[in-house]
Every structure is written in C-alpha cells, then in structure tokens.
C-alpha cells in the first residue's frame, strides 16, 4: 500500500484573523510536514513562502479588495498566488452584489478565490508543492 510522504522544506504563509482558524489551518498543514508561518498578506507576498493563504473573518468589502489587489498581483507574478478562503453564507441583495464584486476583483488580480475550506487548504498545498498549473484557466 502506498502511503503519502510528508512534504519537507515547504512553507505556507497564512494571513488569518481568527486565532482558532489559524491554529486549525496550521495544524492541518503541519501534519503534512508543511511549515505554516503566520504573516500579514503584504509581508507574505514579499516573503519566500511557497503559497499564501488568506482567510478573513467576514466577506471582504470592495474597498478591502481594492487594497489587497496589489499584493495579489505581486504574489501571482511570482508564481504563488494568494488563495483567499471565501466561505461565507449566501447573502442577498446589495451585500451579495458587493461580495461577488470583491471576489471577482481579486480573481482579476490573480488571486485564487475558494469557497470550501478543505479545497482551500488543498489548493495551498498544491501550489506550494507543484506551482500553478499552466493554461488559460490557471
């Protein structure tokens, strides 16, 4: 039976506001042998982490997405896009439109916007271990 080998020498930067979420994500990565480093997004985009994960406590407003866009561009250009966890309950009306616009704006600036926590963690691991896949949809 094949068993997955732990990754060695791989670092993922986590920008997570909620301490419990940060501990859970770091623990899930460390079980895989991946070092989780906590850092603000701007600092992580300039650092040497293999991938950058952002998990805000609430949906990003359009103004926050606009402030985050330059860091997303820098990270994407370096081949390690920021993976944004966007797992919030469905909203309605104007809030939903603003939330969708923020996510689309971040995607347009190179961020990976993921709405499932498990898929978000796996995306971080895949980017850190193998890089971003080639192709127009990447």
């Amino acid at each position: 039976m094949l068993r997955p080998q732990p990754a060695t020498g791989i670092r993922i930067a986590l920008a997570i506001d909620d301490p419990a979420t940060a501990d859970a994500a770091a623990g899930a990565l460390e079980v895989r042998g991946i070092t989780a480093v906590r850092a603000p997004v701007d600092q992580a985009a300039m650092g040497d982490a293999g991938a950058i994960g952002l998990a805000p406590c609430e949906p990003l407003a359009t103004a926050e997405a606009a402030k985050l866009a330059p860091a997303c561009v820098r990270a994407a250009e370096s081949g390690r896009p920021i993976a944004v966890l966007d797992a919030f309950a469905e909203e309605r009306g104007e809030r939903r439109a603003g939330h969708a616009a923020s996510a689309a704006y971040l995607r347009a600036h190179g961020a990976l916007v993921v709405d499932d926590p498990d898929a978000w963690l796996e995306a971080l691991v895949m980017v850190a271990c193998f890089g971003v896949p080639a192709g127009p949809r990447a």
Side-chain angles (χ1 to χ4, degrees):
M1 177 180 194
L2 294 174
R3 295 187 189 270
Q5 298 298 315
T8 56
I10 296 179
R11 295 168 28 106
I12 293 178
L14 297 175
I16 301 175
D17 296 333
D18 178 50
T21 303
D23 289 342
L29 293 169
E30 288 172 4
V31 165
R32 293 174 170 92
I34 297 171
T35 303
V37 180
R38 295 183 191 164
V41 173
D42 287 338
Q43 191 177 32
M46 302 295 259
D48 63 346
I52 304 162
L54 169 66
C57 289
E58 56 189 44
L60 293 173
T62 52
E64 293 169 316
K67 287 180 195 173
L68 186 59
C72 290
V73 169
R74 279 193 308 276
E77 287 175 344
S78 71
R80 1 171 239 120
I82 296 173
V84 180
L85 178 59
D86 189 30
F88 298 101
E90 287 293 319
E91 298 171 322
R92 298 195 183 276
E94 196 171 306
R95 284 184 57 114
R96 182 175 183 176
H99 183 187
S102 296
Y105 192 74
L106 292 176
R107 279 188 189 99
H109 286 83
L112 301 171
V113 181
V114 183
D115 64 359
D116 178 85
D118 291 328
W120 175 74
L121 273 174
E122 294 305 322
L124 286 171
V125 171
M126 296 298 283
V127 167
C129 291
F130 304 107
V132 178
R137 298 201 50 136

